[in-house]
């Protein structure tokens, strides 16, 4: 399973990038937003990867941030939304814009994505509406974590995870509570991507 690629850009195409990692070139399908933020051929690049393994194919999807990858996964939990549709949405909307559209039940904004009709847009805002409820209660360790954040002494992965969840539309307290709970599951040495993933699971309970 491939989770991240760090290498040199070999080629950027309309819907994918070819990255050379120590002489091995990987093809990663990406949203147009991620592709536009990559450099030119010969420049260094880092992509968060979602790996798909099927009987007849092995495919990589690349994302600029772990947060974008989490949205890619979440979108596909909606009935009728596959990888192609998820990438179309992420090519059009930032994670923050998508979170706002879902919170406001704004299917018109979601349907701005190419190939996304009113029915699919309605399913996305309706089915994801309850995937991010307010986080109830204060998880163990959350008060200490909030104090560390306020004093600017929290570890980089923790601060990055809280910031990422806040950018999704959660309050600072909800994000801190979720990350504190995620730390208990993932461990103190977990990176930001893992904390975001576990944090989103906590928020979806």
């Amino acid at each position: 399973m491939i989770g991240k690629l760090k290498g040199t850009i070999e080629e950027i195409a309309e819907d994918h990038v070819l990255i050379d990692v120590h002489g091995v070139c990987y093809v990663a399908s990406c949203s147009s937003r991620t592709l536009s933020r990559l450099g030119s051929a010969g420049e260094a690049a880092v992509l968060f990867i979602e790996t798909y393994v099927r009987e007849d194919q092995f495919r990589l999807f690349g994302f600029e941030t772990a947060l974008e990858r989490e949205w890619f996964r979440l979108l596909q939990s909606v009935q009728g939304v596959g990888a192609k549709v998820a990438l179309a949405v992420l090519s059009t909307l930032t994670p923050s814009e998508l979170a706002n559209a879902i919170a406001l039940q704004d299917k018109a904004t979601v349907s701005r994505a190419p190939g996304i009709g009113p029915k699919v847009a309605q399913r996305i805002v309706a089915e994801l509406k309850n995937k991010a409820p307010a986080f109830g209660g204060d998880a163990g360790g959350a008060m200490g974590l909030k104090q560390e954040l306020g004093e600017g002494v929290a570890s980089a992965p923790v601060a990055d995870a809280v910031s990422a969840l806040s950018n999704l539309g959660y309050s600072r307290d909800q994000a801190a509570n979720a990350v504190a709970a995620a730390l208990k599951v993932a461990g103190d040495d977990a990176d930001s991507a893992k904390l975001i993933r576990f944090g989103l699971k906590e928020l979806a309970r």
Side-chain angles (χ1 to χ4, degrees):
M1 189 68 68
I2 298 173
K4 181 190 284 188
L5 290 177
K6 298 175 70 174
T8 303
I9 298 171
E10 184 77 15
E11 174 188 323
I12 294 181
E14 183 177 350
D15 61 354
H16 67 271
V17 62
L18 188 64
I19 294 186
D20 184 335
V21 181
H22 302 304
V24 179
C25 289
Y26 296 87
V27 177
S29 299
C30 304
S31 69
S32 60
R33 185 178 300 278
T34 288
L35 290 173
S36 69
R37 292 177 177 272
L38 291 174
S40 304
E43 295 184 13
V46 177
L47 283 177
F48 291 89
I49 298 295
E50 180 75 353
T51 305
Y52 276 19
V53 180
R54 302 290 187 269
E55 286 187 7
D56 58 345
Q57 67 173 323
F58 180 89
R59 191 174 182 187
L60 304 180
F61 294 89
F63 305 93
E64 180 190 15
T65 64
L67 181 58
E68 186 185 18
R69 182 177 61 185
E70 293 305 324
W71 270 108
F72 178 72
R73 293 169 175 167
L74 187 59
L75 282 165
Q76 290 179 84
S77 70
V78 175
Q79 179 186 4
V81 176
K84 183 177 180 180
V85 171
L87 283 182
V89 173
L90 293 171
S91 291
T92 305
L93 303 173
T94 65
S96 178
E97 290 169 338
L98 181 55
N100 287 338
I102 291 169
L104 297 172
Q105 292 293 281
D106 182 3
K107 66 179 183 180
T109 292
V110 177
S111 63
R112 283 166 38 199
I116 308 298
K119 290 184 179 179
V120 174
Q122 177 60 43
R123 282 203 299 270
I124 289 173
V125 299
E127 293 186 30
L128 295 186
K129 178 179 63 175
N130 295 322
K131 293 290 181 72
F135 186 81
D138 186 26
M143 291 302 293
L145 186 148
K146 291 173 189 175
Q147 183 175 352
E148 290 179 357
L149 289 168
E151 295 173 353
V153 296
S155 68
V158 167
D160 289 345
V162 171
S163 176
L165 293 177
S166 296
N167 289 338
L168 269 176
Y170 299 105
S171 72
R172 188 77 169 175
D173 278 352
Q174 288 172 341
N177 287 341
V179 172
L183 280 169
K184 296 175 69 174
V185 178
D188 292 336
D189 59 346
D191 60 18
S192 59
K194 181 176 288 187
L195 291 176
I196 292 168
R197 184 165 67 252
F198 281 96
L200 285 171
K201 289 181 179 179
E202 290 295 329
L203 287 160
R205 287 179 184 272

